[in-house]
C-alpha cells in the first residue's frame, strides 16, 4: 500500500479496505478534492476534520460497515477484535513520535494476537520534528494497552459491507474565492504569530497530502488530462508546507517571518480547480536561477554542515547531489541546516530567501549565505498586538 498518501486517521481505514476489497481500494479516499474550512482553535479556521466525521464518510466510500462504535470512559479497558479501529490521544501512544509531546487524534487497529494480549497495527507513515513514524505491528500486554489508551477513546468495530463498493466518482468541493481569502487573512493577520504559523504548518501539510492523494486517485482512474501539471501543483503545495514550517521555526526563535507564504497559499488554493480539472494548465514558471559566483571555501563549509545534519558525504553534495536525494531528507532537516549555518557563520538569513528552491542544493544555500546579514542586524519585525489566545 502507498502508506505516505494517507493521514493518521485515514491510513488504518485504508488497511482494512485493502484487506477486504483488494489493492487500489484505499485510493477511493482521495476521490474528493476538498477545501471547506471550519472554525478552529485559537480563532483560526481549519481544514482538519474530526475523526468521527472522516470515519462516517470513509466507511461508506471504502465499503466498510460500522458494526458498533462508542467513546469509552476514562480508564475503561479497550479490547481487541477483528476490525477494531481505535482513535486515541497520540500523547500516550508509545509507538508514535508524538508520544509525550503533542496531544492529537491518532488511529490504529487493535486486533487479537496469539502470543500477546493484543497487537497494534498502525500504517502511519510521516516525518515529524521528533523522528519518523513508520507502519508497524506491535504486541501489547494488557497493562501496556491500558497505559496507551487511558481514555476517552473512539472505539469502532468495522467489517466488510458486502461486496466491493461501486467505483467512486471524482468530486470537487471547494469554497469560493472570498472564503479562501478570509482563510489566508486569518493566518496572515493573527496577532499570535507563533500560534498562527504552528497551526498553518499542520494546515498546509494536510492540504498538500490530500492533494497528492486526489492526484493519485485521478491518475489511477485515468481521469487526469495532464499528470505532469497535477504533479507540479502537488509539489508546489509540498514546497509551501516546507516554507511555512521554516517560517514557524524562525518565529519561534524570535526571527522575522516571510510574508510570501501567504501569497503562495492564495495561489495554490486558486489553482486547485485548474490543476485537477479536465483541462490542466502549465505549472507556474519557476524563478530564474541565481548565477552569483560562489567562493569555493564557502561551498566546502556549507557542504560540511549539510553533510553533518544529513549524515551524508559532503563530497557528493559538492559534486551537485541534491539534498532532497539524500535518504532521511525532510523539511525538519532543512531547519537544522539553516540553524546550524546561522550559528556557525554568525549570520541571519533573509526570511524571504528561505524557500525550498534555495535550500535543496549546496550552491543555492551558499548564495543566500552571501546575501545574509551579520547576526543581530536584521530589521526588526513590525510591532504586533499582544495575543489574547490560549497559547499565551
Amino acid at each position: 500500500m502507498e502508506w505516505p498518501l494517507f493521514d493518521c486517521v485515514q491510513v488504518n481505514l485504508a488497511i482494512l479496505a485493502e484487506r477486504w476489497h483488494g489493492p487500489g481500494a484505499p485510493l477511493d479516499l482521495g476521490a474528493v478534492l476538498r477545501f471547506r474550512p471550519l472554525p478552529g482553535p485559537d480563532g483560526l479556521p481549519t481544514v482538519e476534520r474530526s475523526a468521527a466525521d472522516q470515519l462516517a464518510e470513509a466507511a461508506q466510500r471504502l465499503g466498510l460497515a460500522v458494526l458498533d462504535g462508542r467513546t469509552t470512559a476514562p480508564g475503561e479497558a479497550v479490547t481487541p477484535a477483528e476490525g477494531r479501529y481505535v482513535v486515541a490521544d497520540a500523547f500516550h501512544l508509545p509507538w508514535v513520535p508524538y508520544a509525550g509531546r503533542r496531544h492529537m487524534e491518532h488511529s490504529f487497529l487493535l486486533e487479537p494476537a496469539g502470543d500477546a494480549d493484543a497487537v497494534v497495527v498502525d500504517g502511519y507513515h510521516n516525518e515529524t520534528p521528533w523522528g519518523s513514524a513508520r507502519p508497524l505491528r506491535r504486541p501489547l500486554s494488557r497493562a501496556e494497552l491500558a497505559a496507551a489508551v487511558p481514555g476517552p477513546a473512539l472505539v469502532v468495530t468495522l467489517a466488510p459491507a458486502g461486496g466491493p463498493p461501486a467505483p467512486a466518482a471524482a468530486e470537487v468541493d471547494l469554497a469560493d474565492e472570498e472564503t479562501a481569502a478570509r482563510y489566508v487573512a486569518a493566518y496572515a493577520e493573527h496577532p499570535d504569530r507563533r500560534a498562527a504559523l504552528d497551526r498553518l504548518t499542520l494546515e498546509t501539510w494536510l492540504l498538500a497530502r490530500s492533494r497528492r492523494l486526489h492526484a493519485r486517485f485521478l491518475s489511477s482512474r485515468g481521469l487526469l488530462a495532464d499528470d505532469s501539471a497535477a504533479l507540479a501543483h502537488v509539489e508546489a503545495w509540498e514546497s509551501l508546507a516546507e516554507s511555512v514550517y521554516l517560517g514557524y521555526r524562525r518565529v519561534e526563535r524570535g526571527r522575522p517571518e516571510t510574508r510570501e507564504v501567504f501569497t503562495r497559499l492564495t495561489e495554490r488554493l486558486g489553482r486547485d480547480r485548474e490543476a485537477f480539472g479536465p483541462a490542466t494548465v502549465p505549472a507556474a514558471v519557476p524563478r530564474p536561477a541565481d548565477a552569483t559566483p560562489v567562493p569555493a571555501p564557502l561551498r566546502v563549509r556549507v557542504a560540511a554542515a549539510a553533510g553533518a545534519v544529513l549524515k551524508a558525504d559532503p563530497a557528493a553534495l559538492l559534486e551537485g547531489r541534491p539534498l532532497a536525494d539524500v535518504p532521511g531528507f525532510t523539511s525538519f532537516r532543512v531547519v537544522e541546516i539553516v540553524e546550524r549555518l546561522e550559528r556557525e557563520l554568525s549570520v541571519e538569513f533573509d526570511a524571504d530567501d528561505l524557500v525550498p528552491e534555495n535550500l535543496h542544493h549546496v550552491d543555492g544555500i551558499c548564495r543566500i549565505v552571501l546575501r545574509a546579514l551579520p547576526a543581530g542586524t536584521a530589521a526588526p519585525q513590525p510591532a504586533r498586538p499582544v495575543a489574547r489566545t490560549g497559547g499565551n
Side-chain angles (χ1 to χ4, degrees), residues 47-130:
V47 296
E48 186 177 27
R49 302 167 69 212
S50 71
D53 286 346
Q54 289 196 65
L55 175 63
E57 178 180 318
Q60 181 177 12
R61 192 176 300 280
L62 295 178
L64 307 178
V66 178
L67 302 184
D68 62 66
R70 58 188 296 269
T71 299
T72 62
E76 181 181 344
V78 180
T79 57
E82 177 70 16
R84 182 63 48 82
Y85 174 86
V86 181
V87 179
D89 186 350
F91 187 87
H92 302 291
L93 305 179
W95 62 88
V96 296
Y98 307 110
R101 296 185 174 96
R102 177 159 286 191
H103 294 281
M104 58 185 291
E105 290 184 325
H106 188 88
S107 78
F108 57 93
L109 303 178
L110 186 67
E111 302 187 322
D115 55 352
D117 291 324
V119 62
V120 162
V121 178
D122 189 349
Y124 190 49
H125 186 294
N126 194 28
E127 303 299 329
T128 81
W130 308 287

Side-chain angles (χ1 to χ4, degrees), residues 240-290:
L240 171 61
E242 182 178 313
S243 294
V244 171
Y245 177 68
L246 279 163
Y248 162 64
R249 284 296 297 266
R250 291 183 68 75
V251 167
E252 192 177 37
R253 296 167 59 211
R255 299 290 180 84
E257 65 176 288
T258 176
R259 309 297 290 175
E260 182 193 29
V261 294
F262 302 108
T263 301
R264 290 167 62 192
L265 177 56
T266 300
E267 291 172 349
R268 287 305 102 203
L269 291 170
R271 282 185 53 80
D272 274 342
R273 281 189 177 85
E274 299 171 357
F276 296 120
T280 56
V281 298
V285 177
R287 299 176 182 180
D290 185 349

